[in-house]
Amino acid sequence: MYQDFDQAAYWWRKAAEQGHIKAMGNYGTLFLSGSGVTKSFQTAEEWIARSAKAGNPSAYNNMASLRMMQGQLEKALKYSKIAVKKAPKDANFWSTLATILAKLGGKHAAFKVWDKALELSRGNKGILQTARKYGYKS
């Protein structure tokens, strides 16, 4: 499949600048990898934060991941809990929360959260693989 990240960045930016909540978050994530834009963690964070403040659950989950990457686990936990509360049926959000809990040393709690993630998304190999990195056994 052909992917034109320059065009994606152009259209995501146009939509984001017009206030489209999901476009803000999607545009921001392009800056994490430099896909169609100049790689910039700061710009990524700015757009994703705008999307989160506007109420986008995916942006809250992305902010949690960003904070986790920065080692700011308490802030990551805060964002992750908001994402799960806003979209309680999204297994990936539960998995992010579990990963943060595991990194904070709460493996027992993390395992229960991974149980929830796997219940929502039966057989999700990505979630199971992440959980197993922390000692989870299904």
Side-chain angles (χ1 to χ4, degrees):
M1 176 160 65
Y2 176 73
Q3 294 179 338
D4 186 342
F5 288 109
D6 291 336
Q7 280 293 309
Y10 173 80
W11 290 110
W12 283 128
R13 187 189 90 237
K14 286 190 83 62
E17 288 173 346
Q18 291 179 14
H20 189 278
I21 296 168
K22 289 183 180 181
M24 289 179 206
N26 291 338
Y27 183 55
T29 59
L30 293 175
F31 287 93
L32 294 174
S33 62
S35 299
V37 294
T38 302
K39 190 174 184 174
S40 170
F41 189 81
Q42 180 179 348
T43 304
E45 187 171 6
E46 288 169 8
W47 280 105
I48 294 168
R50 286 175 70 179
S51 182
K53 287 177 185 171
N56 182 0
S58 292
Y60 278 103
N61 194 59
N62 288 335
M63 286 299 294
S65 295
L66 288 170
R67 294 293 179 238
M68 188 170 29
M69 289 168 30
Q70 295 171 317
Q72 298 174 2
L73 297 177
E74 292 298 331
K75 286 183 180 179
L77 183 62
K78 179 185 108 180
Y79 283 114
S80 186
K81 286 180 177 180
I82 294 169
V84 165
K85 185 176 180 179
K86 287 185 169 288
K89 294 185 181 191
D90 192 310
N92 291 311
F93 294 2
W94 286 96
S95 183
T96 300
L97 176 59
T99 302
I100 295 165
L101 290 170
K103 286 180 178 259
L104 284 167
K107 285 191 177 183
H108 182 69
F111 293 165
K112 286 184 177 185
V113 175
W114 271 311
D115 285 342
K116 175 70 174 178
L118 291 165
E119 173 187 319
L120 289 169
S121 181
R122 301 208 190 293
N124 185 311
K125 292 178 184 177
I127 291 174
L128 188 56
Q129 184 178 16
T130 300
R132 286 185 174 156
K133 287 180 188 176
Y134 294 92
Y136 178 87
K137 300 199 185 332
S138 56

